Amino acid sequence: MAVAASACGSGSGQEDSATDGEASSDESSTSPPAVTQTQSVVPWDDVATHLATRRGSYRKFTEIRVGGVTATIRESVEFDLDASYLDRTLTIPAGLVPEDSVPGGLGNGMLQFVYTDSVTIMRNAALRDACGTDWVDVTDFSSDSVLAPAFQATDLRVAEPLGVLNHVSGEPRHVATSPDGSHYEVAIPAARLSPQGGFLDAPDAMSAMADIETIADVLLPADSGPLQVTIDLTDVLEAAAGEDIPEGDGMTVTWIVPVSDERPFDIRLPPEIADATCIDQDREA
């Protein structure tokens, strides 16, 4: 369910002019109509400024609804596209991922991934005993767990929410404007979205999604506010799974991208990185 667009009040009424002291009795006996200041619509063309961002950060919230229970995976990402570098930290709610479905107790708590054009490394304090360090090289690590997409290399040519907006299909539809900015609805081909679960790597699932579009709610900010993109992925997940999802269940993803985030961050890799075999050993143990 996309974030509802916040509508602003409109003041379309015009004040009647009274010339030479003339005014109707109705006008003299009632207060003059209030004039509402209309917010200026942020033009869709402003999205080009965001798409040109090469270095910055964003936050991602993945809301998962199952059986009346809602859990949210939170991500914080820093990226430098010119350096082919992305630093991604995930916070996973306790109990969301079964402990026996992932190695080393990685299913809950905090995971940090650093992706470069040559290596993917992961940080998790739970593996220090098995690996001798918090950092592990997972470049070639494969996992059959629900966290498998987190281990996969990411596209370092574009930040994820901006990559989504690079594939808008058709004309954006202006929905509403508020002091925060202007909301637009845009169609996004489902096949252009990043995999949200291991089953989306299956050829049949990708084929089912080939002709599907989903609707994104995009808030283009006014002034210095953040860009926001929200997509309800429930229909996409149903198509990929080939079956209906129970009513009330589903998944919604929201990205929040600061308009300007030029804070420097260290892109050097840590000095001690263990081989991923220690994860396999920990799983066997």
Side-chain angles (χ1 to χ4, degrees):
M1 161 170 48
V3 170
S6 54
C8 68
S10 61
S12 58
Q14 296 180 344
E15 292 181 311
D16 295 327
S17 59
T19 58
D20 299 328
E22 297 178 359
S24 67
S25 59
D26 287 343
E27 289 174 336
S28 61
S29 61
T30 60
S31 300
V35 178
T36 302
Q37 184 175 3
T38 303
Q39 301 291 334
S40 298
V41 174
V42 181
W44 178 255
D45 287 348
D46 278 14
V47 77
T49 300
H50 302 281
L51 296 181
T53 302
R54 303 297 300 169
R55 179 187 179 96
S57 67
Y58 62 86
R59 289 177 293 155
K60 179 180 179 181
F61 301 88
T62 302
E63 180 187 274
I64 301 171
R65 305 177 297 277
V66 179
V69 177
T70 299
T72 301
I73 298 175
R74 291 171 167 81
E75 298 184 35
S76 178
V77 177
E78 293 180 315
F79 62 91
D80 187 330
L81 304 182
D82 293 327
S84 296
Y85 178 93
L86 188 146
D87 187 324
R88 175 184 179 215
T89 299
L90 297 84
T91 302
I92 304 170
L96 179 63
V97 180
E99 292 185 6
D100 59 357
S101 69
V102 292
L106 301 179
N108 301 295
M110 184 175 293
L111 292 172
Q112 182 178 0
F113 290 86
V114 170
Y115 307 87
T116 73
D117 55 3
S118 60
V119 68
T120 299
I121 60 175
M122 179 188 70
R123 180 174 179 265
N124 182 254
L127 291 177
R128 173 169 284 275
D129 289 342
C131 301
T133 175
D134 290 353
W135 288 98
V136 178
D137 185 338
V138 293
T139 306
D140 299 318
F141 181 77
S142 61
S143 171
D144 56 2
S145 76
V146 293
L147 290 177
F151 292 89
Q152 298 168 359
T154 190
D155 187 347
L156 296 173
R157 295 169 298 178
V158 65
E160 185 181 15
L162 306 182
V164 168
L165 294 182
N166 266 320
H167 297 292
V168 169
S169 175
E171 291 295 322
R173 185 175 75 89
H174 175 247
V175 176
T177 291
S178 73
D180 293 330
S182 294
H183 284 266
Y184 289 85
E185 287 185 350
V186 296
I188 306 291
R192 295 293 187 178
L193 299 174
S194 298
Q196 299 297 326
F199 67 88
L200 292 186
D201 293 329
D204 290 346
M206 297 305 294
S207 176
M209 293 166 53
D211 298 322
I212 297 176
E213 290 184 339
T214 188
I215 300 300
D217 177 279
V218 180
L219 171 63
L220 282 183
D223 301 325
S224 59
L227 170 74
Q228 183 168 310
V229 182
T230 300
I231 303 178
D232 189 328
L233 293 173
T234 304
D235 291 344
V236 175
L237 296 178
E238 285 184 331
E243 59 184 18
D244 292 339
I245 291 177
E247 184 175 356
D249 290 2
M251 179 184 294
T252 301
V253 175
T254 298
W255 295 272
I256 298 175
V257 188
V259 170
S260 178
D261 189 352
E262 299 295 332
R263 295 173 302 147
F265 54 89
D266 192 355
I267 64 172
R268 293 174 298 177
L269 298 181
E272 296 183 3
I273 305 173
D275 187 88
T277 53
C278 65
I279 297 180
D280 294 325
Q281 292 169 357
D282 189 72
R283 172 159 29 186
E284 293 171 0

